[in-house]
Amino acid sequence: MKKIILAAIVLASTSSAFAFSKSDLSNGSYGTAGCGLGALAFGNKSGPIQIFASTLNGTGVQTFGMSTGTSNCGPSVFAANETKAFIDNNAVALENDIVRGQGETLMTLSKMMNCNSDVLGVTLKNNYKTIYTGEQSTERVMETAQKVCSVKG
């Protein structure tokens, strides 16, 4: 295993496999081997380098990355639950911020959902009467926010 990893590092250093931009990592760009340590090391370079990327992914980092949203694997599988819990735990403060279309709680929600806080604030404020019509306001806040935000939380 050590020889394979060493060979991958040597191959990468001689074939410009590390020549990928930071934007490749921020948008979940990876090759056929998928996300994980191999994606961090080799990016989305095509060809035999993906064999080495796959080997690195097989070290267990890929599973961890998929669960936690790290290692170039995109959002955490827990993100929706975290967002829902945040909305539930901050219901009163968030509702007050939504009425005003701005505020600390609303800004935190926008950051959690990778969303522009001004756009989210205006949208939620404009939809206040349809969001807060009795039960299940948490779901309606999430649905409305997801329509606006680039990352579905």
Side-chain angles (χ1 to χ4, degrees), residues 45-57:
K45 303 296 178 210
S46 61
I49 198 73
Q50 289 299 311
I51 295 169
F52 296 110
S54 177
T55 302
L56 286 175
N57 288 345

Side-chain angles (χ1 to χ4, degrees), residues 103-152:
E104 187 176 321
T105 313
L106 192 54
M107 187 175 292
T108 302
L109 177 63
S110 70
K111 287 182 181 184
M112 290 177 74
M113 298 188 76
N114 192 26
C115 194
N116 180 302
S117 62
D118 294 331
V119 174
L120 182 60
V122 168
T123 303
L124 290 173
K125 179 180 180 179
N126 291 340
N127 289 288
Y128 176 83
K129 290 182 181 179
T130 58
I131 292 171
Y132 291 98
T133 58
E135 300 292 320
Q136 300 178 339
S137 60
T138 298
E139 287 76 15
R140 284 192 290 280
V141 169
M142 286 200 50
E143 288 171 10
T144 305
Q146 287 173 340
K147 290 176 185 174
V148 177
C149 299
S150 59
V151 174
K152 307 285 187 230

Side-chain angles (χ1 to χ4, degrees), residues 1 4-5 8-9 11 30-63 66:
M1 181 66 161
I4 292 173
I5 293 173
I9 293 170
L11 180 61
Y30 47 80
T32 55
C35 67
L37 185 59
L40 293 174
F42 303 111
N44 63 356
K45 303 296 178 210
S46 61
I49 198 73
Q50 289 299 311
I51 295 169
F52 296 110
S54 177
T55 302
L56 286 175
N57 288 345
T59 62
V61 175
Q62 186 176 36
T63 304
M66 290 163 73

Side-chain angles (χ1 to χ4, degrees), residues 1-120:
M1 181 66 161
K2 289 181 182 179
K3 290 181 181 180
I4 292 173
I5 293 173
L6 181 60
I9 293 170
V10 170
L11 180 61
S13 64
T14 60
S15 68
S16 72
F18 287 106
F20 55 93
S21 69
K22 189 171 182 172
S23 66
D24 287 341
L25 294 179
S26 64
N27 67 8
S29 178
Y30 47 80
T32 55
C35 67
L37 185 59
L40 293 174
F42 303 111
N44 63 356
K45 303 296 178 210
S46 61
I49 198 73
Q50 289 299 311
I51 295 169
F52 296 110
S54 177
T55 302
L56 286 175
N57 288 345
T59 62
V61 175
Q62 186 176 36
T63 304
F64 177 79
M66 290 163 73
S67 298
T68 60
T70 60
S71 302
N72 202 20
C73 291
S76 165
V77 296
F78 305 111
N81 290 336
E82 290 170 359
T83 304
K84 184 179 183 316
F86 176 81
I87 293 169
D88 284 338
N89 293 332
N90 297 283
V92 174
L94 183 59
E95 184 176 359
N96 290 334
D97 285 357
I98 289 173
V99 167
R100 293 178 298 150
Q102 62 183 5
E104 187 176 321
T105 313
L106 192 54
M107 187 175 292
T108 302
L109 177 63
S110 70
K111 287 182 181 184
M112 290 177 74
M113 298 188 76
N114 192 26
C115 194
N116 180 302
S117 62
D118 294 331
V119 174
L120 182 60

